[in-house]
Amino acid sequence: MQTVQREVIRLDNVSVAYSGIGKPAIENINLSFKEGKLIVITGPNGAGKTTLIETCLGLLKPFKGRVSLLGIDTRSRKVINVRKLCSYVPQDFMRPPFETYTARHIIKLGLAAKKQLFDVSTLDYTSKLSPTIKLLNIDDLLDSPIGTLSGGEQQKIFIARALVREPKILFLDEPFSSLDRDSREIVADVVRKYVNLNRATALLVSHDLNPVKSIADEIIKMRKGKIVEVKYM
Amino acid sequence: MFGIAIIAAILGGGSCGMLGYYVQRFGVTTLSFSIAHAALAGAAVGMVFGVDMIYSAMLFATTYAIVMGFLMSKTEHARELISMAFFAFFNALAIFMIYISNTTVLATSSVATILWGSVLAVTLQKIAIFITLLILFIYYVFAFKPQIDSILFDKKLAEAEGIDVHLHTIVILVFVSIVIALTLKITGGFLVFSLLYNPVASAFQISRRANLQQIISPTLGISSALLGLAISYILDWPVGATIAIISTLILFISVIYRLIINILALSMAKKRTASL
């Protein structure tokens, strides 16, 4: 018997423009993403890939069309609650050298949205953290100030932060941009396993298809703010 | 009387230093600058209409903070410009009210309180309000510590992870507006932001660690206010201006300290490279 896959994100005729810019960053987008899928969004610079995922998260509001995230219209204030079920690794994650938060603290902050008043417990976090550390091989980095880590190491820390939150939807914007070849394979493998084990959905933006071809369920190609091709693997 | 002035200086300096840190890290510096001038206009309006200046300042500043807080998400790109437009408007309103007061109220001492502050005029009732507000703020910071820390680290990421950044920003702005209104009598309307910005700017020069900055900033706020109060008492200078001068001097010293640290670090790095 085939299991029914729930729709987690839906975009109906969505157009988004940045303030003061007449040309839409994405235009007339119709997409539907289902649970348990790993979707790769690819395209050249300026194609609208980051705009698309930030629109899905409700960080950008469409001037036309409707976006539904886990059944909630992203224009509604309720979107704040459903974002607690999502994780985001932004493209511009790099911290300056003087940033003194330790890697461990940054990962822990990922759970902040789910904490109750006066809740400073670390038990839950510790149990969630250990398998992620092993998978990403970051145990030696945890007590270092984030600013002293290399770009690739910082990127792994932000990916760990995203996974510790146990999200239903994982938004990853260029998650391989600072990683070496071996680390790319490890991260790609970790994301794929996470999606499979948790029936989660991952939206992964990558201008380079090589590291993600083998793990993708769908590949969406964008150009100049429009979808030019959707390929099911 | 002087005892109350000392307590007022400690409360004003400490709370401005503490809130200044959040103002800077939440990215609402310009907005809080215009809130300070809304308080000034409110105090001037209160003076003309015979209302307690602190309460009218509080009403103006809080209303403006809430309205701007709600409009903030819709006007993100133009927030600085809107803040500066309101800054000009509130300044004009304050000056207009002071102009009217010369012919209607003839209250020279009230005008002086608005412009330069009058720490000796702080009442026990205002001290009680200040202490209550401080307790509420500390309660808020501890209750929402993980969420606030997350915003301080990265606002956009916190928003993407389901933290109500907008609501927390409005809460901070409301606290700022009340603290500014209460501090008006200590520094005067034109100088209140010297206690809001200088201690935190100095803290950023002295330490790179967020948790230390959060302690250094209110400590420097208290030091500026107490030193300013003492010097103004000894030399018979206006309190507000003296506090502003002291806090600016502390900022200069902190900048020099940072420069020395940077030069020492660079020379150590050069020595290390040469020895390799």
Side-chain angles (χ1 to χ4, degrees):
Chain A
M1 198 178 84
Q2 208 173 17
T3 50
V4 180
Q5 286 174 321
R6 203 163 61 98
E7 184 181 68
V8 288
I9 301 173
R10 186 180 179 86
L11 294 96
D12 292 314
N13 209 21
V14 168
S15 297
V16 176
Y18 288 97
S19 177
I21 298 170
K23 195 171 166 281
I26 53 172
E27 216 172 342
N28 300 324
I29 305 285
N30 289 291
L31 285 169
S32 169
F33 302 124
K34 295 207 162 60
E35 66 179 2
K37 298 286 181 193
L38 195 154
I39 302 113
V40 173
I41 302 161
T42 188
N45 291 341
K49 307 181 294 287
T50 300
T51 306
L52 179 66
I53 60 168
E54 291 196 352
T55 303
C56 291
L57 259 169
L59 297 175
L60 295 171
K61 310 284 183 221
F63 69 85
K64 195 180 108 187
R66 184 178 181 274
V67 183
S68 160
L69 176 66
L70 292 164
I72 300 293
D73 189 326
T74 56
R75 270 182 284 221
S76 147
R77 262 190 70 78
K78 285 181 191 164
V79 74
I80 293 168
N81 289 327
V82 293
R83 282 193 199 131
K84 289 176 186 167
L85 306 171
C86 306
S87 283
Y88 181 38
V89 177
Q91 195 176 12
D92 49 349
F93 61 89
M94 275 294 281
R95 298 287 131 177
F98 54 79
E99 183 72 72
T100 54
Y101 283 96
T102 62
R104 188 188 299 277
H105 192 193
I106 285 165
I107 296 172
K108 203 171 131 185
L109 282 179
L111 296 172
K114 297 178 179 180
K115 295 241 175 185
Q116 302 299 316
L117 286 184
F118 295 107
D119 180 7
V120 286
S121 63
T122 52
L123 268 175
D124 199 23
Y125 144 81
T126 316
S127 64
K128 283 173 184 172
L129 185 60
S130 33
T132 316
I133 291 173
K134 276 181 198 146
L135 288 171
L136 290 170
N137 199 17
I138 52 169
D139 39 358
D140 293 341
L141 311 176
L142 290 177
D143 293 314
S144 309
I146 190 83
T148 63
L149 301 179
S150 72
E153 288 168 335
Q154 287 196 34
Q155 198 156 28
K156 280 191 193 173
I157 297 299
F158 280 91
I159 291 165
R161 173 179 166 135
L163 293 172
V164 163
R165 288 168 50 80
E166 296 178 339
K168 280 193 191 305
I169 311 174
L170 197 50
F171 295 89
L172 305 163
D173 196 353
E174 299 286 1
F176 310 113
S177 60
S178 298
L179 301 179
D180 56 42
R181 201 174 155 176
D182 289 347
S183 298
R184 280 180 190 184
E185 281 173 17
I186 291 169
V187 169
D189 189 45
V190 166
V191 172
R192 181 71 256 184
K193 279 181 182 154
Y194 180 82
V195 168
N196 290 350
L197 282 171
N198 300 281
R199 284 182 65 82
T201 307
L203 258 72
L204 193 154
V205 166
S206 179
H207 68 276
D208 179 12
L209 270 180
N210 285 331
V212 285
K213 235 184 222 167
S214 60
I215 59 163
D217 293 312
E218 289 172 38
I219 295 176
I220 296 171
K221 280 190 185 164
M222 292 185 77
R223 187 181 292 272
K224 292 181 179 171
K226 289 178 180 158
I227 308 290
V228 289
E229 189 184 348
V230 179
K231 204 189 276 181
Y232 297 94
M233 309 300 281
Chain B
M1 207 65 168
F2 201 70
I4 292 179
I6 291 172
I7 296 169
I10 292 171
L11 289 171
S15 51
C16 280
M18 198 189 295
L19 272 157
Y21 177 81
Y22 294 95
V23 163
Q24 206 281 335
R25 294 295 299 262
F26 270 66
V28 287
T29 311
T30 319
L31 190 52
S32 61
F33 182 71
S34 58
I35 288 173
H37 288 83
L40 175 70
V45 169
M47 179 182 66
V48 169
F49 291 100
V51 181
D52 187 320
M53 282 189 292
I54 298 299
Y55 294 134
S56 57
M58 219 179 268
L59 181 72
F60 263 65
T62 311
T63 308
Y64 173 67
I66 292 170
V67 170
M68 282 301 286
F70 276 109
L71 289 176
M72 213 159 55
S73 61
K74 292 176 175 55
T75 58
E76 194 79 45
H77 61 290
R79 199 173 66 200
E80 306 281 289
L81 284 175
I82 293 169
S83 296
M84 292 320 279
F86 272 106
F87 155 71
F89 168 72
F90 287 129
N91 256 350
L93 183 62
I95 290 165
F96 189 67
M97 287 294 144
I98 289 167
Y99 171 77
I100 291 174
S101 75
N102 282 331
T103 51
T104 58
V105 185
L106 290 171
T108 318
S109 64
S110 300
V111 173
T113 303
I114 292 175
L115 297 180
W116 300 296
S118 171
V119 73
L120 293 171
V122 177
T123 60
L124 269 177
Q125 190 192 22
K126 301 293 181 327
I127 295 285
I129 297 174
F130 226 138
I131 292 171
T132 311
L133 183 80
L134 215 54
I135 292 168
L136 279 175
F137 183 69
I138 292 168
Y139 178 87
Y140 161 74
V141 167
F142 277 100
F144 292 98
K145 191 169 175 11
Q147 290 86 347
I148 294 170
D149 274 355
S150 185
I151 298 171
L152 294 178
F153 175 66
D154 190 320
K155 246 170 111 170
K156 188 176 175 183
L157 196 53
E159 193 180 359
E161 289 177 347
I163 291 172
D164 199 337
V165 175
H166 192 204
L167 186 65
H168 282 290
T169 309
I170 292 174
V171 171
I172 292 287
L173 288 176
V174 168
F175 275 117
V176 166
S177 62
I178 302 173
V179 161
I180 286 173
L182 288 167
T183 313
L184 270 186
K185 277 201 174 169
I186 303 170
T187 58
F190 283 120
L191 295 169
V192 66
F193 39 84
S194 65
L195 274 183
L196 204 60
Y197 304 141
N198 286 353
V200 68
S202 307
F204 285 162
Q205 298 303 318
I206 294 167
S207 177
R208 299 292 196 212
R209 292 184 179 277
N211 50 357
L212 273 180
Q213 288 166 349
Q214 287 177 67
I215 297 167
I216 294 169
S217 182
T219 308
L220 292 181
I222 293 170
S223 311
S224 304
L226 283 178
L227 261 173
L229 185 65
I231 292 171
S232 76
Y233 180 73
I234 296 163
L235 300 176
D236 197 22
W237 285 0
V239 181
T242 315
I243 292 173
I245 288 168
I246 296 294
S247 69
T248 312
L249 274 176
I250 292 175
L251 177 58
F252 277 135
I253 294 166
S254 316
V255 171
I256 291 166
Y257 167 80
R258 175 52 53 193
L259 279 173
I260 293 168
I261 294 287
N262 286 350
I263 290 166
L264 286 175
L266 191 66
S267 72
M268 273 172 72
K270 275 181 184 168
K271 267 184 196 164
R272 196 171 292 178
T273 317
S275 67
L276 284 175

